Amino acid sequence: MSRWTDHSAFIKQWIAFAKTNLTDHGTGILISSFTADGIALDGPEGSSIWMVTHGLRLLDEDFARDQYQRARKELHRSLAGFAWSREWPASHKGQVDVDSGSVIPILEISAGGSGMAFIAASSFGDDEYLSQLAATLDFPPFPPPRTAG
């Protein structure tokens, strides 16, 4: 690789910086937004971390898997074979914003987080979580659209 296309040094430096400066101290999950100087603007969010874990696999498979496992521990919820994602870990109460969308109280179901959890669960081959998320979409109040014919 030429010096113009090899970004491995930058990636390694960014991963080290992210591990040290861009993770929530309580959960170890990457925060969802920060300034250009690396100052946290908020904490981890389901609607962000699930997509980040998927993309992070291109840069650092081990770090991506660690983040996925941490997010699954903190955000995954299930009941009677149905699963969803919380938007925030129990230790962090964030503000609803454009990417998180509405959050259903009591169960703390995040539509944004749950939708992005499909991507991460598929990316990491988590068939259990993936099938439980799919079951939730097929729940009777949300029937699949009927096809003509």
Side-chain angles (χ1 to χ4, degrees), residues 9 27 31 65 81:
T27 64
I31 59 175
R65 185 163 299 282

Side-chain angles (χ1 to χ4, degrees), residues 96-111:
V96 173
D97 57 22
V98 69
D99 63 321
S100 62
S102 298
V103 175
I104 299 172
I106 300 170
L107 294 176
E108 299 183 20
I109 299 172
S110 166

Side-chain angles (χ1 to χ4, degrees), residues 50-51 53-54 114-124 130 133:
W50 296 121
M51 183 63 197
T53 61
H54 171 67
S114 297
M116 292 306 218
F118 271 96
I119 295 168
S122 179
S123 184
F124 287 93
L130 194 58
L133 287 165

Side-chain angles (χ1 to χ4, degrees), residues 13 18 26 51-52 54 58 62 64 67-68 73-74 89 91 93 101 110 123 135-136:
Q13 181 182 10
M51 183 63 197
V52 168
H54 171 67
L58 297 171
D62 292 337
Q67 286 295 296
Y68 177 77
K73 176 185 173 201
E74 296 288 332
S91 61
K93 182 60 179 161
S110 166
S123 184
T136 304

Side-chain angles (χ1 to χ4, degrees), residues 29-30 32 44-54 67 71 75 120:
I29 299 173
L30 286 166
S32 63
E45 289 185 345
S47 56
S48 299
I49 193 58
W50 296 121
M51 183 63 197
V52 168
T53 61
H54 171 67
Q67 286 295 296
L75 304 174

Side-chain angles (χ1 to χ4, degrees), residues 28-86:
I29 299 173
L30 286 166
I31 59 175
S32 63
S33 62
F34 45 87
T35 66
D37 296 332
I39 298 169
L41 297 174
D42 57 20
E45 289 185 345
S47 56
S48 299
I49 193 58
W50 296 121
M51 183 63 197
V52 168
T53 61
H54 171 67
L56 193 55
R57 290 185 68 202
L58 297 171
L59 304 178
D60 187 321
E61 177 75 29
D62 292 337
F63 185 44
R65 185 163 299 282
D66 174 71
Q67 286 295 296
Y68 177 77
Q69 291 169 346
R70 289 173 184 275
R72 194 178 193 291
K73 176 185 173 201
E74 296 288 332
L75 304 174
H76 166 271
R77 294 293 180 266
S78 63
L79 178 66
F82 301 99
W84 61 91
S85 173
R86 297 168 52 116

